[in-house]
């Protein structure tokens, strides 16, 4: 094969790998969501203890992250002072624990399909909180886009057959806490030059989440668990569920590291539609035409938002390349001028 053939083989291999990473992430994200629903839903496995389930995940992920970093040294730990941990990681851990607690609680009251529709509000929440904390600039066209997404989700909620006010409140709370966490990562970590991949994130954040969840667990779920004497811890169910949750974090690391965060957003849209189809066809959740119409509107809004972000990134990259080219041209011009001056001085002497 010639050089051109080798290049095309390399490109094909890169494309196949990218699609493989996307497929793995979609599969694991899909599995974790459906598995959590199965465990928590009263009509299925019937173990409605979202704080306990989240704590099992956190303890499992903490242990594996510790082994990967400290024992097997697969990932390098991030050097972090006690002050940095308390001021940066602890607030993020608190927000993450609340986000996980509320989102897992929502599975008890709402269908998988409707939860995915409500999650379409995430860009709205991230943008609004970003503007509030002055990490995003207010733009009228972006706000109109956010309102169109919200309008679509409102229509989907109106058409929901199993609408539960408490469940919606829990899911919206989860979206708000998760959006705040994402903005706080920019403010408390990225701005200070602290970069955490999913493994180091779990190493630092998961133990913190476990401690935060311990307080509500003692008062909310422990008394009920004590009364449920018939319950026996199923290592097969909770072990595989926790392993899937940990594998999902690894998949995020692979997907974002080998492709981009935008690819993950697009893959997330595909995953949401697959979950809605699965929820309707396999779990037999009711998905109404009004549901689909509303979510379709929200989906178009999210797709436009992702497209706008991609265009902004491309424009930024183009500006950077233009500035680098200008700097290079200026440097070459200076070199030529200095060479010309040197020749002149030699002629004169």
């Amino acid at each position: 094969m010639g050089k051109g053939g080798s290049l095309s083989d390399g490109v094909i291999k890169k494309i196949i790998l990218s699609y493989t990473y996307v497929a793995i992430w979609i599969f694991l994200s899909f599995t974790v969501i459906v598995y959590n629903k199965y465990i928590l839903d009263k009509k299925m496995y019937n173990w409605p203890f979202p704080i306990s389930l989240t704590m099992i995940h956190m303890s499992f992920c903490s242990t594996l992250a510790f082994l990967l970093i400290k024992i097997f040294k697969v990932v390098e730990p991030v050097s972090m002072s006690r002050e940095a941990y308390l001021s940066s990681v602890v607030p993020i851990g608190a927000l993450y624990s609340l986000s996980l607690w509320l989102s897992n609680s929502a599975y008890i009251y709402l269908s998988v399909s409707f939860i995915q529709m409500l999650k379409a509000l995430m860009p709205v929440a991230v943008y609004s909180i970003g503007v509030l904390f002055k990490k995003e600039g207010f733009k009228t066209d972006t706000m109109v886009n956010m309102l169109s997404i919200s309008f679509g989700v409102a229509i989907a909620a109106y058409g929901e057959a199993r609408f539960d006010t408490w469940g919606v409140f829990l899911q919206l709370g989860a979206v708000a806490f998760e959006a705040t966490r994402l903005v706080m990562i920019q403010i408390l970590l990225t701005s200070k030059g602290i970069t955490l991949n999913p493994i180091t994130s779990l190493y630092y954040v998961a133990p913190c989440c476990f401690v935060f969840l311990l307080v509500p667990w003692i008062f909310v779920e422990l008394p009920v668990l004590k009364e449920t004497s018939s319950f026996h811890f199923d290592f097969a169910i909770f072990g595989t569920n926790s392993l899937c949750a940990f594998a999902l974090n690894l998949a995020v690391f692979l997907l974002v590291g080998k492709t981009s965060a935008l690819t993950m957003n697009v893959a997330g849209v595909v995953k949401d539609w697959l979950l809605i189809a699965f929820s309707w066809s396999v779990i037999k959740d009711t998905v109404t035409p009004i549901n689909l119409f509303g979510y379709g509107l929200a989906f178009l809004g999210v797709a436009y938002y992702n497209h706008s972000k991609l265009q902004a990134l491309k424009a930024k990259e183009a500006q950077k390349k233009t500035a680098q080219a200008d700097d290079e041209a200026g440097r070459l011009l200076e070199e030529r001028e200095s060479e010309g001056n040197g020749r002149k001085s030699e002629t004169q002497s």
Side-chain angles (χ1 to χ4, degrees), residues 1-11:
M1 251 190 192
K3 199 172 180 181
S6 299
L7 182 66
S8 86
D9 285 348
V11 170

Side-chain angles (χ1 to χ4, degrees), residues 156-267:
Y158 176 76
E160 175 58 22
R162 281 184 55 208
F163 187 90
D164 185 283
T165 306
W166 179 239
V168 171
F169 174 78
L170 288 169
Q171 186 54 48
L172 293 180
V175 167
F177 283 122
E178 179 62 10
T180 308
R181 183 184 76 90
L182 294 172
V183 174
M184 285 296 114
I185 285 172
Q186 286 184 297
I187 295 169
L188 300 176
L189 294 179
T190 312
S191 62
K192 295 177 183 177
I194 302 169
T195 307
L196 301 176
N197 63 47
I199 308 302
T200 49
S201 288
L202 288 173
Y203 177 75
Y204 288 110
V205 176
C208 184
C209 286
F210 184 89
V211 172
F212 274 113
L213 289 167
L214 197 59
V215 178
W217 179 75
I218 289 168
F219 293 102
V220 178
E221 292 187 1
L222 181 60
V224 184
L225 281 166
K226 280 181 178 177
E227 291 174 11
T228 316
S229 56
S230 60
F231 174 73
H232 298 287
F233 190 85
D234 192 328
F235 284 95
I237 291 287
F238 293 102
T240 51
N241 178 246
S242 299
L243 189 61
C244 287
F246 184 79
L248 178 59
N249 281 279
L250 288 178
V252 170
F253 180 52
L254 274 175
L255 185 60
V256 177
K258 302 294 181 182
T259 56
S260 68
L262 193 69
T263 304
M264 187 174 157
N265 284 342
V266 174

Side-chain angles (χ1 to χ4, degrees), residues 3 8 10 15 31 33 41 80 135 159 189 209 238 306 327 330:
K3 199 172 180 181
S8 86
I15 290 167
T31 304
I33 288 168
D41 198 303
M80 192 182 297
K135 292 303 292 181
L189 294 179
C209 286
F238 293 102
N306 285 336
D327 289 343

Side-chain angles (χ1 to χ4, degrees), residues 28-45:
L28 286 169
S29 183
F30 185 98
T31 304
V32 169
I33 288 168
V34 173
Y35 212 157
N36 286 354
K37 172 69 174 175
Y38 168 74
I39 290 170
L40 294 164
D41 198 303
K42 292 175 183 177
K43 294 177 184 175
M44 297 181 192
Y45 188 74

Side-chain angles (χ1 to χ4, degrees), residues 16 25 44 133 189 203 260 308 310 343 349:
I16 290 169
W25 179 80
M44 297 181 192
F133 284 97
L189 294 179
Y203 177 75
S260 68
S308 302
L310 179 61
R343 282 175 191 160
S349 60

Side-chain angles (χ1 to χ4, degrees), residues 120-133 135-136 146 175-184 186 305 309:
L121 287 169
M122 185 59 76
V124 181
V126 172
Y127 178 73
S128 303
I129 292 164
V131 169
L132 190 67
F133 284 97
K135 292 303 292 181
E136 293 272 0
M146 297 298 111
V175 167
F177 283 122
E178 179 62 10
T180 308
R181 183 184 76 90
L182 294 172
V183 174
M184 285 296 114
Q186 286 184 297
Y305 177 68
K309 285 191 82 173

